[in-house]
């Protein structure tokens, strides 16, 4: 009963609902007035034409039965005038009672009432005991992956949603959501901003500025990450109170540039943890080409530990005796000194200057082109918009305006002269199409691409891309890394770092006895205990109760770990 009253109160407080009820009331009054008129005419005709006398209640009864088409037949006209009047009453009743009244009732009362019920179900605040949570100001492409990582790390969260209907749907899907406007201080009070662990401002830049000012006015200490679409917004965000302004598109372009710069730098750092450096290196144009890891004696010469190998867009476990193909990209972990020894070992002094074709002159493409030129790589840039010519010319050595799907245009852009192609358009379908096209034109090309929707990752790998990175996964990694107090590590789509509490079934076993690597494929890169953190642990390391394992692997490998040991 209390819930019904709250729903009705919410319904009546809505201005649109008040207008709807006013329109429905007007129609009902019109219908009632018409019935009264018909009742009066009935009495006049019955008295003057039919010679019959009836009560007013009988007249209203006759009007109702005829308009509703019940037609009991107990009271009838016998003259043509009376029957003509009956037809008028009958036809108007069919239209006004049987057609218009149900429509008006549904349109102005029933449908708004159902919507009010849905809106009333949307949570309006968090329980007061909720603390240490992340406040996400909008559900977007980053949210799904971020929520998965937050749950894995047992970090509570709440999503703000201005539309109560959408908020109810998210709530029914099992998400923690609160309905409220992101620029309303009452919303942040309702989600316990004073106890929050982080605020993520992931809306458009002008809205994010408003979010920053509103949230900062209520809590001066809470960390706030603000995702910037434009680089010019970074200073504004800092002045508005952002703890960490995050230019994701710029970062995405730089990450893509790292993957295509193999011609001049064989070893690329992708992240750090404590004193460890995580790197990737390309086999192409290096002494490793065609050799196995065992034959190359890589660990003996450098001390570096190869923990996985990218092949065809998938991270595979290490097979020491299998020869490495030119397209292989090993992932290795070691100290700074070990990485430097690896760099010297793979350095090719006869390597020529390489060139990269960047297709797409948007923010990501310009960021990638700038990062490539800073590394001494020639950049060919291709974009279809002629109005961007002056903007794009400083970012490249050779600019082509036209459609990349046109053979003559892509030939003019230098597809036959470059060693790699970076697909940076914001259209997944276009990137998939161009990946197929470039692979058919130049089979030896190294192709890297951005992607927007995770469901298209497998498709673009099948199309021929060697490396894919999505805006969503990059954003998730930066946000979670900030929350966990570590450096972001972008190994690639599908491979992540996991921090896991040691299961009781593995306590007091050595790393070799645990079988983690052999049975799941996960690589343990660090063991954290209350007293110390042991990085790159040997197989003889004994796992103690209360320790945490930092592991590298895929989601499937992590799920396998949970099945076996949790």
């Amino acid at each position: 009963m209390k819930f019904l009253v709250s729903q009705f109160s919410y319904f009546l407080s809505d201005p649109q609902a008040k207008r709807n009820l006013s329109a429905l009331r007007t129609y009902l009054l019109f219908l009632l007035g018409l019935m009264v008129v018909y009742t009066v005419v009935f009495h006049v005709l019955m008295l003057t034409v039919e010679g019959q006398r009836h009560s007013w209640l009988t007249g209203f009864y006759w009007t109702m039965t005829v308009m509703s088409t019940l037609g009991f037949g107990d009271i009838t006209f016998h003259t043509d005038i009376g029957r003509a009047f009956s037809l008028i009453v009958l036809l108007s009743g069919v239209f006004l009672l049987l057609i218009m009244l149900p429509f008006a009732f549904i349109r102005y009362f029933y449908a708004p009432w159902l919507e009010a019920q849905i809106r009333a179900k949307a949570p309006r605040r968090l329980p007061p005991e909720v603390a240490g949570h992340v406040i996400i100001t909008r559900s977007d492409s980053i949210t799904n992956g971020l929520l998965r990582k937050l749950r894995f790390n047992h970090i509570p969260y709440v999503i703000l949603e201005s539309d109560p209907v959408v908020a109810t749907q998210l709530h029914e899907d099992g998400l923690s959501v609160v309905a409220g406007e992101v620029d309303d201080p009452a919303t942040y009070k309702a989600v316990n901003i004073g106890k929050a662990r982080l605020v993520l401002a992931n809306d458009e830049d002008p809205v994010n500025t408003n979010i920053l000012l509103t949230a900062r006015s209520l809590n001066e200490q809470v960390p706030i990450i603000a995702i910037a679409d434009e680089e010019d917004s970074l200073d504004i965000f800092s002045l508005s109170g952002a703890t960490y302004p995050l230019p994701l598109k710029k970062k995405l372009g730089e990450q893509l540039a790292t993957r295509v710069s193999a011609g001049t730098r064989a070893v690329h750092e992708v992240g750090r943890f404590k004193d460890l450096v995580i790197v990737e290196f390309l086999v192409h144009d290096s002494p490793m080409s065609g050799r196995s890891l065992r034959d190359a004696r890589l660990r003996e010469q450098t001390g570096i530990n190869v923990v996985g190998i990218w092949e065809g867009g998938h991270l595979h476990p290490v097979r020491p005796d299998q020869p490495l193909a030119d397209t292989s990209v090993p992932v290795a972990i070691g100290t700074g000194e070990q990485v430097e020894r690896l760099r010297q070992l793979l350095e090719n002094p006869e390597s020529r200057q390489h060139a990269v074709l960047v297709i797409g002159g948007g923010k990501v493409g310009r960021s990638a082109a700038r990062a490539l030129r800073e590394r001494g790589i020639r950049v060919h840039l291709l974009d279809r918009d002629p109005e961007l010519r002056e903007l794009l010319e400083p970012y490249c050595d050779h600019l082509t305006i036209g459609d990349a799907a046109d053979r003559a245009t892509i030939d003019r852009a230098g597809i036959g002269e470059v060693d790699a192609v970076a697909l940076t358009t914001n259209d997944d379908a276009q990137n998939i199409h161009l990946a197929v096209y470039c692979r058919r034109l130049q089979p030896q090309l190294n192709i890297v691409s951005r992607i927007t929707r995770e469901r298209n990752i497998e498709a673009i790998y099948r199309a021929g891309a060697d490396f894919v990175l999505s805006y969503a996964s990059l954003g998730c990694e930066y946000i979670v890394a900030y929350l966990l107090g570590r450096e972001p590590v972008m190994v690639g789509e599908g491979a992540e770092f996991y921090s896991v509490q040691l299961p009781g079934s593995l306590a007091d076993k050595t790393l070799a006895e645990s079988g983690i690597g052999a049975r799941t494929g996960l690589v343990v890169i660090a063991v954290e205990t209350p007293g110390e953190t042991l990085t790159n642990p040997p197989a003889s390391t004994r796992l103690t109760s209360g320790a945490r394992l930092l592991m590298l692997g895929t989601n499937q490998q992590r799920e396998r770990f949970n099945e076996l040991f949790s």
Side-chain angles (χ1 to χ4, degrees):
M1 184 65 183
K2 182 179 179 181
F3 180 64
L4 185 63
V5 171
S6 66
Q7 285 182 326
F8 195 69
S9 300
Y10 180 82
F11 177 64
L12 293 180
S13 64
D14 183 21
Q16 183 61 46
K18 293 180 180 179
R19 289 191 290 270
N20 289 339
L21 289 177
S22 177
L24 181 61
R25 183 172 60 251
T26 300
Y27 178 76
L28 292 175
L29 290 175
F30 165 75
L31 193 59
L32 180 61
L34 186 63
M35 289 179 180
V36 171
V37 171
Y38 285 159
T39 300
V40 172
V41 175
F42 168 82
H43 276 281
V44 172
L45 292 179
M46 276 294 183
L47 187 60
T48 60
V49 178
E50 300 288 334
Q52 300 180 33
R53 186 181 295 276
H54 296 280
S55 67
W56 288 105
L57 179 60
T58 302
F60 192 77
Y61 161 79
W62 176 88
T63 301
M64 286 291 296
T65 58
V66 175
M67 290 187 72
S68 63
T69 70
L70 289 176
F72 292 132
D74 52 343
I75 303 173
T76 58
F77 285 97
H78 301 287
T79 63
D80 288 344
I81 294 177
R83 288 170 178 165
F85 173 65
S86 298
L87 286 175
I88 294 173
V89 175
L90 177 65
L91 293 175
S92 63
V94 168
F95 180 73
L96 295 175
L97 274 182
L98 303 186
I99 299 177
M100 288 299 297
L101 182 59
F103 173 79
F105 178 77
I106 294 173
R107 168 65 179 82
Y108 294 116
F109 181 79
Y110 187 66
W113 169 250
L114 289 180
E115 185 174 337
Q117 285 183 300
I118 295 174
R119 290 175 178 269
K121 292 179 182 178
R124 291 304 195 279
R125 61 177 55 254
L126 284 180
E129 64 272 12
V130 174
H133 54 293
V134 176
I135 300 173
I136 304 170
T137 59
R138 187 180 70 160
S139 177
D140 61 0
S141 60
I142 298 175
T143 307
N144 288 337
L146 178 59
L147 297 187
R148 174 170 50 82
K149 290 191 174 187
L150 292 177
R151 292 190 194 103
F152 182 78
N153 289 284
H154 306 290
I155 300 174
Y157 69 90
V158 63
I159 303 171
L160 302 185
E161 175 54 56
S162 59
D163 188 340
V165 175
V166 177
T168 300
Q169 293 171 347
L170 294 176
H171 178 66
E172 292 177 348
D173 289 339
L175 302 181
S176 175
V177 63
V178 165
E181 298 294 338
V182 295
D183 58 352
D184 187 355
T187 301
Y188 295 94
K189 292 177 182 177
V191 296
N192 306 341
I193 191 172
K195 304 177 182 178
R197 181 171 181 171
L198 176 76
V199 175
L200 173 62
N202 58 332
D203 214 306
E204 298 177 356
D205 287 4
V207 180
N208 281 346
T209 303
N210 200 345
I211 291 171
L212 290 168
L213 295 172
T214 304
R216 189 57 75 203
S217 68
L218 297 172
N219 189 334
E220 296 182 357
Q221 305 300 324
V222 63
I224 304 177
I225 295 178
I227 297 179
D229 189 54
E230 301 285 347
E231 290 186 48
D232 293 340
S233 299
L234 296 176
D235 290 337
I236 299 175
F237 285 176
S238 296
L239 294 172
S240 300
T243 312
Y244 183 20
L246 180 57
L248 264 188
K249 291 186 176 179
K250 177 176 178 288
K251 297 288 187 182
L252 180 58
E254 292 172 349
Q255 288 286 340
L256 289 175
T258 301
R259 266 61 183 196
V260 297
S261 60
T264 55
R265 290 186 182 180
V267 181
H268 309 285
E269 181 180 325
V270 296
R272 288 177 176 265
F273 179 77
K274 305 291 184 180
D275 58 340
L276 288 182
V277 183
I278 300 99
V279 298
E280 291 177 349
F281 60 92
L282 294 197
V283 173
H284 177 67
D285 202 21
S286 79
M288 295 291 297
S289 181
R291 304 175 67 187
S292 68
L293 291 173
R294 192 183 302 279
D295 291 340
R297 301 177 62 246
L298 198 62
R299 185 158 190 172
E300 290 83 347
Q301 295 186 64
T302 66
I304 205 85
N305 183 27
V306 177
V307 297
I309 299 175
W310 284 103
E311 291 279 6
H314 297 279
L315 185 64
H316 298 282
V318 175
R319 297 179 290 272
D321 296 319
Q322 182 173 341
L324 297 174
D326 281 348
T327 56
S328 299
V329 183
V331 180
I333 297 176
T335 64
E337 294 179 358
Q338 292 169 342
V339 170
E340 185 57 34
R341 286 198 292 269
L342 175 66
R343 183 174 285 112
Q344 293 173 3
L345 178 66
L346 299 179
E347 197 173 65
N348 186 354
E350 298 179 358
S351 179
R352 61 181 175 82
Q353 185 185 29
H354 287 237
V356 175
L357 172 60
V358 178
I359 300 179
K363 298 180 183 70
V364 176
R366 295 197 298 271
S367 175
R370 180 171 53 210
L372 289 168
R373 294 191 78 192
E374 288 174 353
R375 295 184 175 100
I377 297 176
R378 286 182 54 82
V379 174
H380 296 225
L381 187 56
L382 171 58
D383 194 89
R384 66 170 60 189
D385 190 351
E387 296 182 0
L388 295 179
R389 180 181 293 275
E390 292 185 6
L391 175 64
L392 298 179
E393 284 179 345
Y395 289 90
C396 61
D397 300 282
H398 177 72
L399 176 63
T400 304
I401 300 296
D403 187 353
D406 178 66
R407 178 62 184 271
T409 301
I410 204 167
D411 283 341
R412 283 192 292 110
I415 187 70
E417 307 170 17
V418 300
D419 303 275
V421 172
L423 305 175
T424 64
T425 76
N426 195 33
D427 187 340
D428 286 359
Q430 180 76 354
N431 288 340
I432 294 170
H433 175 72
L434 292 175
V436 175
Y437 192 42
C438 293
R439 181 60 69 201
R440 297 298 183 272
L441 291 176
Q442 298 290 338
Q444 79 285 357
L445 282 178
N446 171 233
I447 301 176
V448 302
S449 176
R450 67 168 289 185
I451 211 75
T452 301
R453 295 176 177 83
E454 291 186 8
R455 65 173 182 265
N456 293 322
I457 291 174
E458 287 295 328
I460 198 165
Y461 274 128
R462 290 195 299 268
D466 297 300
F467 181 84
V468 176
L469 192 60
S470 71
Y471 178 88
S473 63
L474 184 70
C476 290
E477 175 58 24
Y478 271 90
I479 295 165
V480 173
Y482 183 88
L483 280 169
L484 300 181
R486 61 170 174 82
E487 291 290 326
V489 179
M490 283 308 304
V491 180
E493 289 294 335
E496 300 181 15
F497 276 84
Y498 303 102
S499 179
V500 182
Q501 188 73 30
L502 181 72
S505 59
L506 298 180
D508 297 325
K509 292 184 178 181
T510 65
L511 198 54
E513 292 170 346
S514 72
I516 293 174
R519 301 177 67 185
T520 69
L522 289 168
V523 178
V524 179
I525 67 170
V527 179
E528 295 179 301
T529 60
E532 62 175 347
T533 298
L534 177 62
T535 56
N536 212 2
S540 59
T541 302
R542 187 162 297 278
L543 305 174
T544 59
S545 180
R548 293 191 69 85
L549 305 177
L550 185 69
M551 303 183 294
L552 170 66
T554 64
N555 290 330
Q556 291 79 6
Q557 291 170 338
R558 187 204 68 190
E559 291 171 0
R560 178 67 174 161
F561 176 88
N562 291 339
E563 292 173 2
L564 292 174
F565 303 119
S566 295

